[in-house]
Amino acid sequence: MKRITLTQFLVARQKEKNLINADLRLLIETIARACKGISTRVNKGALADGLGSAGSTNIQGEVQKKLDVLSNEILLEANEWGGNLAALASEEMDNPRPIPTHYPRGEYLLLFDPLDGSSNIDVNISVGTIFSILRCPKTESGAYGEPDERAFLQAGRNQVAAGFAVYGPTTVFVLTVGDGTHGFTLDRETFTFVLTHPQIRIPADTQEFAINMSNMRRWEPPVRRYIDECLAGAEGPRGKDFNMRWVASMVADVFRVLSRGGIFMYPRDARYPEGRLRLMYEAKPMAFIVEQAGGAATDGRTRILDLQPKTLHQRVAVVLGSKNEVDLVARYHQK
């Protein structure tokens, strides 16, 4: 059977379904090429001096790994000259970066977490890249100008595309442009992404949850209630046994949810009363991807795609995955 490449998939969305334009197609292809480069460096690990700390911290005060910095540079260099973007924003940078004046500007904004789960690099556990694409607001003159932080502060429902790459035993590129969620596996022989997971659907029910149990003593009562009921198993109020999984790389945990169902939770707690994950770089794109696969995503009180961002590096609670489980957690919060 003939294999469909990422480029063929995108061309079909452009010409046959009119879902994307040529600039958006080229932008997604550029991001995918950058992910291939990051995948190669991640796979080399210690052979390319890619392990360990970079000796710096990001705006959140987190210690940056060498591959955090390198992955950020790869994405910047790949995307700033193509004429598709007005500006970029990264979890690893304090402020948005406008496109240099000697390059043409386009109609889109790109946000990304260059290497999600980078604390796992040194122990050879899957990490990944997450991205979100928005349309850039125009100025009164009809131009895109030099977008500042305010241009990026759009609700998640405004995203025109989102995706992530997982650098594991295989490199998988997951994408949505608003017509479902699809997965592409990197063929190492041809160095192309090939459609291997078309129209991913998350089962509405599950018997698997992912959460950092070490934070249990700090959780809010609704989260504690939900997990207690899962742990009670078949003898408890849920009437079934649950398994727990926790990779501590959001890309790996979410890809597992996409592959076989489940619920992923990084809730508020006493240390992080607003939540721990970044709304713009992690929660919004993952919520778009999960909803397009038939799942749900909430901060416990509000649908994530309806949240209005206040700052570029805002943190938020995240509960996403199988719809019936996510809805149950939301109901416990309402009570």
Side-chain angles (χ1 to χ4, degrees):
M1 183 167 53
K2 185 179 178 182
R3 301 191 306 177
I4 300 172
T5 67
L6 175 62
T7 296
Q8 291 170 328
F9 174 88
L10 292 172
V11 167
R13 263 62 193 167
Q14 177 192 342
K15 294 185 176 180
E16 297 173 15
K17 296 192 175 184
N18 200 30
L19 284 169
I20 61 176
N21 61 25
D23 281 344
L24 183 54
R25 173 176 63 83
L26 291 171
L27 174 56
I28 294 170
E29 289 179 329
T30 301
I31 296 167
R33 283 197 299 272
C35 289
K36 293 176 189 177
I38 296 170
S39 174
T40 298
R41 294 304 299 262
V42 168
N43 290 157
K44 288 182 177 179
L47 297 175
D49 191 29
L51 305 184
S53 170
S56 57
T57 58
N58 60 21
I59 189 172
Q60 289 89 15
E62 299 166 332
V63 175
Q64 292 177 308
K65 299 287 187 177
K66 292 178 181 178
L67 278 173
D68 279 322
V69 176
L70 178 61
S71 300
N72 194 67
E73 291 174 354
I74 289 173
L75 281 158
L76 289 174
E77 291 176 4
N79 285 284
E80 66 181 3
W81 58 271
N84 318 112
L85 291 172
L88 310 91
S90 167
E91 183 181 309
E92 301 299 332
M93 303 189 305
D94 294 6
N95 301 302
R97 175 175 294 192
I99 298 302
T101 54
H102 55 281
Y103 291 135
R105 288 190 179 155
E107 62 180 301
Y108 294 106
L109 302 172
L110 174 63
L111 303 98
F112 55 85
D113 179 353
L115 203 63
D116 176 74
S118 58
S119 61
N120 283 324
I121 292 171
D122 295 348
V123 292
N124 202 28
I125 291 176
S126 296
V127 293
T129 298
I130 310 172
F131 68 90
S132 169
I133 302 174
L134 299 164
R135 280 194 173 84
C136 182
K138 292 184 178 181
T139 63
E140 292 182 0
S141 65
Y144 295 109
E146 290 195 11
D148 57 13
E149 179 175 339
R150 290 172 297 178
F152 288 85
L153 301 182
Q154 303 180 40
R157 59 179 177 272
N158 290 354
Q159 293 174 103
V160 295
F164 66 90
V166 186
Y167 312 123
T170 59
T171 292
V172 180
F173 187 79
V174 177
L175 173 70
T176 182
V177 293
D179 72 329
T181 297
H182 311 269
F184 303 79
T185 300
L186 181 61
D187 184 333
R188 293 286 178 184
E189 295 178 357
T190 62
F191 216 52
T192 56
F193 279 113
V194 178
L195 181 63
T196 50
H197 300 72
Q199 288 292 352
I200 296 171
R201 302 302 295 173
I202 301 172
D205 296 293
T206 184
Q207 292 178 237
E208 194 166 271
F209 65 91
I211 195 168
N212 187 347
M213 293 292 289
S214 68
N215 293 325
M216 179 184 288
R217 66 190 183 279
R218 304 186 182 99
W219 292 339
E220 293 179 318
V223 176
R224 184 63 180 263
R225 174 186 175 183
Y226 175 79
I227 296 300
D228 283 347
E229 290 180 354
C230 291
L231 295 176
E235 295 78 21
R238 300 302 307 280
K240 58 183 180 180
D241 293 322
F242 281 77
N243 289 324
M244 192 196 86
R245 299 288 185 267
W246 181 250
V247 181
S249 285
M250 189 183 190
V251 288
D253 279 312
V254 172
F255 187 67
R256 184 185 59 251
V257 169
L258 290 169
S259 299
R260 67 188 193 200
I263 183 170
F264 169 87
M265 305 176 69
Y266 214 130
R268 302 174 186 83
D269 61 33
R271 285 191 306 169
Y272 298 100
E274 298 302 318
R276 181 72 172 82
L277 299 180
R278 282 74 176 181
L279 174 60
M280 305 296 287
Y281 310 105
E282 296 166 322
K284 276 188 5 180
M286 288 303 199
F288 189 23
I289 292 162
V290 165
E291 284 201 6
Q292 285 292 312
T298 177
D299 70 350
R301 298 166 185 145
T302 305
R303 177 185 178 227
I304 286 175
L305 294 184
D306 289 337
L307 293 173
Q308 178 58 48
K310 299 176 182 176
T311 64
L312 197 57
H313 296 282
Q314 180 177 339
R315 296 179 187 262
V316 69
V318 174
V319 179
L320 59 77
S322 294
K323 191 176 189 309
N324 290 343
E325 297 299 315
V326 174
D327 288 348
L328 179 61
V329 175
R331 289 199 299 274
Y332 285 175
H333 277 82
Q334 291 168 3
K335 291 179 181 180

